[in-house]
Every structure is written in structure tokens, then in C-alpha cells.
Amino acid sequence: MTLYMFLVLIHIFSAILGMGPGFVMIYIVKHATNMSELRHAYFIRNRLHIFVMVGGTLLLVTGILLGVLNPALFKAGWYVLSLILFLIALAFGPTVLSPRSKPVKDFLENYKGKEIPEQYYVLSNKLFFFERIENAIFLIVIVLMITKPF
């Protein structure tokens, strides 16, 4: 196996490891019926986020290394657009998602009731809206990586 093919293999596994869990993070918390379940769902979600961060980092590193080993990729529209979209999606974390997840985390830590109040849904829907946009960006990147249309 060549170094290039080894990096492709790591890149694909990183996509599965990093993106797969990211697509189910909303689903995990959407079906909680009380605060105990909701807190547990967010505990699981936070654990899965570690896979997303590690996989996402490996995706970026291997993707750039593949371009370094095959500089023609930097002239391929699908590669450049995928890289730009991936960087935009990565920037979502600290710039868009983190400010919207902090109120949810604060709510989960401080709310003492047993039933999930409307306040949670207002906060979480703001966060989930942008998570869905990020997921759509990642889906576009996946389609570009598979089809290489230009």
C-alpha cells in the first residue's frame, strides 16, 4: 500500500468516525421525555462530540496531506470547494454553535424541575437550526468527494 492510499484509507475512516456521530447528535436529544433523560442524552452527545472532533481533525489533516502528495488536487474545483466548505463548517463550532450551546448547557446545569420546559425548546431549537446547516454543508462535502463533479 502506498502512502497516498494509506492516507485515503485514514481519510475515509476519519469521515465515518467524525461525521457519522455528528449527524445523529440532534436525534439523540430530541426524544428525551423528561429532564433526567435529557441530561443523559446530552451526556451521550458530549461523549460523541469527542469522536467528531478527532475525526474532523484527521479529515482535515489527511485531506491536506493528500493535496500535498498530489498537487493537482489544488486545481480540482471539487477539492478546493470541499476544503473551503469544510473550513466554514469547522468555523461554525467556535463562532456559531458554541455561543448557542452555552445557554443550553447552563440551562441543563441549573434547571431543577423534572419536566422539560418550553424554555429548553426555545434554546435548543436555535442551536439545532445551525447544526442542521452545518450537517447540510458536510453532506455537500461528502457528495463532492464521491462524485468529483468538476
Side-chain angles (χ1 to χ4, degrees):
M1 178 180 291
T2 65
L3 174 61
Y4 189 86
M5 288 309 297
F6 178 73
L7 288 175
V8 169
L9 180 69
I10 298 299
H11 191 71
I12 292 169
F13 280 131
S14 298
I16 295 165
L17 176 74
M19 290 186 165
F23 288 122
V24 298
M25 289 179 70
I26 294 172
Y27 179 81
I28 289 169
V29 297
K30 274 290 200 182
H31 297 284
T33 58
N34 59 52
M35 286 304 297
S36 178
E37 288 179 7
L38 187 63
R39 285 187 179 98
H40 183 69
Y42 271 93
F43 173 80
I44 293 169
R45 178 182 158 100
N46 290 336
R47 295 291 176 145
L48 285 176
H49 190 250
I50 295 167
F51 289 96
V52 173
M53 290 186 304
V54 171
T57 301
L58 281 172
L59 264 175
L60 182 60
V61 170
T62 56
I64 291 172
L65 286 174
L66 289 167
V68 169
L69 292 174
N70 181 8
L73 287 175
F74 289 107
K75 295 178 183 171
W78 65 268
Y79 177 84
V80 174
L81 182 57
S82 293
L83 190 56
I84 291 168
L85 289 173
F86 192 82
L87 291 172
I88 290 169
L90 278 181
F92 259 53
T95 62
V96 178
L97 299 179
S98 184
R100 286 164 182 82
S101 67
K102 181 152 179 31
V104 174
K105 289 177 184 176
D106 291 343
F107 170 80
L108 292 171
E109 289 175 10
N110 298 315
Y111 183 73
K112 303 298 181 212
K114 293 183 187 231
E115 299 303 315
I116 303 172
E118 185 61 31
Q119 175 191 4
Y120 163 76
Y121 294 109
V122 170
L123 295 172
S124 65
N125 284 336
K126 290 177 186 176
L127 172 63
F128 297 160
F129 174 78
F130 289 101
E131 285 186 4
R132 286 184 181 102
I133 291 172
E134 184 178 48
N135 286 344
I137 292 170
F138 284 136
L139 286 173
I140 292 168
V141 170
I142 291 169
V143 168
L144 287 170
M145 291 279 154
I146 293 169
T147 63
K148 300 172 179 48
F150 50 91

